[in-house]
Amino acid sequence: MAISYITDMRDINGTPITPEHYNDQMKVARHADDLGYKTVWVPEDHCMDDGFCPAPLTTLAAFARETKRIRLGTGIIQVPTMHPRRLLEEACVVDMMSNGRVTLGVGLGGYELEYKKFGVSWKERGKLMDQYLDFIKKGFAGEPLPDGMALAVPPVQRPIPIIGGTKSLAGTERSARIMDGNIATNHMDHEERLAKFWKEWLSPSLEKYERKVSEFQLPLMMTVWASEKYMDDWHEFLGAGFAYRKNKYEDGFEKVGTDYKGASYQFRDWDEAEKAGAEKMVSRMYVDTPKNVAARLKKLRTIYPFSELIINKVPGIPQEQFIKQLTLFREQIAPIVFPETKSEG
């Protein structure tokens, strides 16, 4: 099945993390595995106090022992702030523990503060990315490593797939040049923004490096919620989750002023949408009835040919509600959006 989900491992809107919360996340992963979901993705973030996962490969190692079929993806891991041998070795261990289910989603990260705390040059991040990926790819393929030393635990997959998560033209071209796919992320105004991303960045990059779309993975990570009472859900927990994330990261990382200088575009979007009211914000997102979500996603694939849909677990969603959502997507939406995979799982 071509539907996946992503969890940053936070609890509801800043609630302190406990062992019980992590145990609950294992239950969600097992449920998704039983449903036949393709991948559970875990991102990486640092220097915040609300439980956002700082160690995706460690987390995926736990998921590896709790599941049987679902793939395990870093979505994304911040490559330049980690020594390439350390990243290579940890990914290979998780691949061994899962019997070959790892996908390494990689990126530069979005916050200069994190680089400062790790003592890594923000200006050199692109150069470091290329150098480190060369090291990692050689290890994944079983080739001699640039440092001349052995790899203690080889991967099961030869090679482990590497997918780039990009927010720039240079990053998109890097995905097309040396990776197995590209993760697109979008939360609002999907048709307009994904059409532009495809036509102006990704499609030309694939052509430039003579990559076939059919052989290139195109996961799409987005906030999507299907419910017959979607506006009630928005007012009850979805909207609060969005407001929490925006305000938390404005204060913690972006330091957004009235001119939004240096801020991610989404903060401007969410500020404007909040001021316009919930109804107008929801209309710009994929928060709708199951029938409408399925139809809209099917149409979106004609605009942006995503091969995998990654459902974003907004921090405000209660676990029991998210488990029900995963089941609904498996039963009502996946067969319509990805009819080519009906016979799977």
Side-chain angles (χ1 to χ4, degrees):
M1 188 173 69
I3 295 187
S4 305
Y5 81 98
I6 184 168
T7 174
D8 58 32
M9 302 300 288
R10 284 182 290 182
D11 204 346
I12 296 177
N13 302 340
T15 302
I17 300 299
T18 64
E20 289 74 20
H21 171 68
Y22 265 61
N23 288 336
D24 286 344
Q25 294 294 310
M26 298 299 123
K27 294 177 184 177
V28 176
R30 289 196 297 268
H31 183 70
D33 189 43
D34 291 341
L35 289 173
Y37 269 60
K38 182 175 182 177
T39 310
V40 51
W41 297 88
V42 179
E44 175 186 17
D45 219 339
H46 301 275
C47 304
M48 296 295 279
D49 62 356
D50 66 344
F52 197 118
C53 184
L57 284 168
T58 302
T59 305
L60 291 174
F63 285 156
R65 309 309 294 171
E66 295 283 339
T67 58
K68 298 177 181 179
R69 298 179 298 174
I70 196 167
R71 291 195 63 82
L72 310 165
T74 57
I76 52 84
I77 199 164
Q78 193 169 278
V79 174
T81 57
M82 191 173 184
H83 193 284
R85 175 171 276 279
R86 171 67 69 183
L87 201 164
L88 166 64
E89 291 175 339
E90 291 190 7
C92 287
V93 167
V94 181
D95 201 54
M96 184 65 67
M97 293 176 69
S98 65
N99 194 27
R101 288 186 280 142
V102 168
T103 296
L104 194 71
V106 300
L108 296 173
Y111 302 113
E112 184 176 358
L113 174 63
E114 292 177 311
Y115 279 72
K116 290 180 179 178
K117 299 306 177 183
F118 281 109
V120 177
S121 170
W122 174 255
K123 293 181 179 180
E124 296 289 316
R125 64 191 186 282
K127 178 181 178 180
L128 292 173
M129 182 74 150
D130 285 334
Q131 292 176 352
Y132 291 2
L133 282 180
D134 178 67
F135 190 105
I136 293 164
K137 288 186 68 177
K138 283 182 168 62
F140 284 175
E143 299 175 5
L145 294 174
D147 64 6
M149 303 301 291
L151 179 61
V153 179
V156 174
Q157 301 175 90
R158 292 295 179 94
I160 293 173
I162 301 177
I163 300 181
T166 63
K167 294 181 180 179
S168 69
L169 176 57
T172 303
E173 287 198 348
R174 181 183 292 111
S175 292
R177 176 167 50 90
I178 61 174
M179 302 191 205
D180 302 295
N182 190 90
I183 304 172
T185 300
N186 196 256
H187 298 292
M188 300 178 72
D189 305 325
H190 300 75
E191 291 82 1
E192 175 187 348
R193 288 191 172 139
L194 287 170
K196 184 175 181 180
F197 174 66
W198 175 249
K199 293 178 181 178
E200 297 183 8
W201 286 10
L202 186 51
S203 182
S205 296
L206 294 174
E207 291 180 9
K208 179 177 180 179
Y209 295 103
E210 299 180 344
R211 305 294 298 275
K212 295 181 180 179
V213 176
S214 60
E215 298 173 359
F216 195 78
Q217 297 183 46
L218 292 174
L220 169 61
M221 193 275 277
M222 61 187 291
T223 299
V224 56
W225 186 260
S227 171
E228 296 295 346
K229 55 181 188 68
Y230 64 91
M231 284 307 305
D232 291 341
D233 292 345
W234 177 265
H235 290 299
E236 183 178 346
F237 52 82
L238 280 174
F242 266 91
Y244 167 79
R245 185 190 186 283
K246 179 185 72 69
N247 294 330
K248 182 72 174 179
Y249 281 74
E250 281 184 358
D251 293 341
F253 277 139
E254 300 287 355
K255 306 300 182 185
V256 177
T258 56
D259 60 357
Y260 294 89
K261 183 178 180 181
S264 300
Y265 70 84
Q266 66 189 16
F267 289 104
R268 180 191 296 273
D269 283 347
W270 293 351
D271 276 346
E272 292 175 349
E274 276 190 311
K275 292 174 183 177
E279 283 71 17
K280 290 187 178 180
M281 186 175 185
V282 168
S283 67
R284 297 171 61 187
M285 305 172 67
Y286 274 58
V287 177
D288 210 329
T289 65
K291 180 179 179 180
N292 288 345
V293 166
R296 292 172 64 186
L297 285 170
K298 183 177 181 180
K299 182 178 179 181
L300 185 62
R301 285 191 79 194
T302 68
I303 298 171
Y304 181 77
F306 59 93
S307 57
E308 175 183 352
L309 175 68
I310 306 173
I311 303 170
N312 178 34
K313 186 182 185 299
V314 177
I317 302 174
Q319 177 183 292
E320 63 276 11
Q321 294 284 358
F322 191 66
I323 287 177
K324 291 178 180 178
Q325 185 75 176
L326 293 180
T327 304
L328 184 151
F329 262 81
R330 176 64 179 94
E331 295 176 350
Q332 299 183 36
I333 295 176
I336 295 173
V337 180
F338 298 100
E340 67 271 24
T341 64
K342 279 185 178 180
S343 60
E344 295 181 9

